[in-house]
Amino acid sequence: MSEFCLGIETSCDETAASVLKDQTTVLSNIVSSQFVHSRYGGVVPELAARAHIQLIVPVTKAAVEAAGLNFSSLSCVAATCAPGLLGALLVGLPFAKALSYSLNIPFVGVNHLEGHIFALRLEHPQLSPPFLAAVLSGGHTELLEVKGWCCYRQLGSTLDDAAGEAFDKVAKLLGLPYPGGALLEELAREGKPTIRFPVPLQNTDTMDFSFSGLKTAVLYYRRDHPDARHEDIAASFQEAAISEVTNRITRAIAKTDLNTVGISGGVASNQVLRDRISLLGKKYGFRFLVPRPEFCTDNAAMIAAAGIERLKLFGPSRLNIPARARSTLADNSV
Ligand code: KG4
Ligand code: ZN
């Protein structure tokens, strides 16, 4: 008999709900982005929590309806419990627990980063570990060896800004609204990468990332070259940021015997990055996988996908698990 898992995601500024049939069939995927933050140039946690409170019920109802189901057909409910903005997590998490309690179905708490990894399986149902995963989002930049489902070895992570944060901050410097990553990519299409911004940590064998020096280099370049075309600055920054990612992936492939690379998270929807890693795959002989853009950015289908697997491997989570602002996949204790 089919399993229908409701996923709920409220870790940042997207209120999302999705129903998954079995492990990889997405019956509905509703994402409501909160535009209230745009005028502040970043996410305002208090406003995010308030917006989640307003949106969580209609978004969840819409997801169940769009799946052609009613609540009584659901077999489990999964929600993001960490990492993220506490006030935001504390909307979706208790909501999901209450649903599970009232419907008498299992509840599963999911790590948001694990959700991003499972987005790869939504797109590529045959995918099986081991593989190398790079989670490149607005809040996180992680390079992981996925040894088995829900079993990870962290190879590297960012020492300062996350990849998406760097895109957003540079986009802001160029006068683009928040979140500016996708808009910066658009602007870069009209420009040429003629400015050589420094790519950090080039001459070491670390698998960690650093983006804040690059952001500062763009800031100083703009100050010293007020007439420079924004399109060229965007294209040059994007080139350097992409090199930072591709360098680490190449390094990780050389150091491990992995032959599949998956990227996910909002930055993975960047087409130039996708093309570049795809080329690298041909050169170095690895298979390259990436979800479609709506599964790269925050969504609840990926949370349901991770939740179903967790339920299978470890059983339901306890109803008293806390929301946590910080959590790595190494402390895999949800
Ligand atoms: O995964 P995500 O939706 O949320 C987090 O978990 O943080 O990622 C959002 C991030 C934002 O920083 C956004 O600017 C960035 O992903 N992003 C992009 C692109 N689309 C979204 N960055 C570069 N190029 C894009 N096309
Ligand atoms: Zn995310």
Side-chain angles (χ1 to χ4, degrees), residues 11 112 116 137 298 302:
S11 67
H112 182 81
H116 277 303
S137 75
D298 283 352
M302 68 186 196

Side-chain angles (χ1 to χ4, degrees), residues 10-13 43-46 48-49 83-90 323-325:
T10 65
S11 67
C12 191
D13 59 342
V43 178
V44 184
E46 173 74 20
L85 301 172
L86 258 191
L89 290 168
L90 283 171
R324 282 180 295 151

Side-chain angles (χ1 to χ4, degrees), residues 132-156:
L132 180 73
V135 178
L136 307 165
S137 75
H140 303 275
T141 302
E142 303 279 335
L143 196 58
L144 301 149
E145 178 182 354
V146 181
K147 292 151 70 111
W149 289 122
C150 306
C151 178
Y152 310 97
R153 178 165 73 105
Q154 189 183 53
L155 301 173

Side-chain angles (χ1 to χ4, degrees), residues 112 116 137-139 164 167-168 179 181-182 185 265-267 269-270 296-298:
H112 182 81
H116 277 303
S137 75
F167 270 86
D168 292 338
E185 180 182 6
V267 179
S269 49
N270 185 294
C296 285
T297 46
D298 283 352

Side-chain angles (χ1 to χ4, degrees), residues 166-225:
F167 270 86
D168 292 338
K169 285 179 174 168
V170 170
K172 192 171 172 184
L173 286 177
L174 299 178
L176 299 172
Y178 177 86
L183 296 169
L184 188 143
E185 180 182 6
E186 249 174 61
L187 187 67
R189 248 178 251 139
E190 310 299 319
K192 291 201 170 59
T194 44
I195 309 156
R196 296 195 73 79
F197 289 124
V199 179
L201 307 177
Q202 278 267 54
N203 302 317
T204 69
D205 69 348
T206 181
M207 284 192 266
D208 288 329
F209 301 78
S210 170
F211 291 98
S212 74
L214 176 54
K215 171 198 66 192
T216 309
V218 174
L219 177 76
Y220 289 153
Y221 188 88
R222 273 209 66 219
R223 186 194 62 189
D224 300 340
H225 303 82

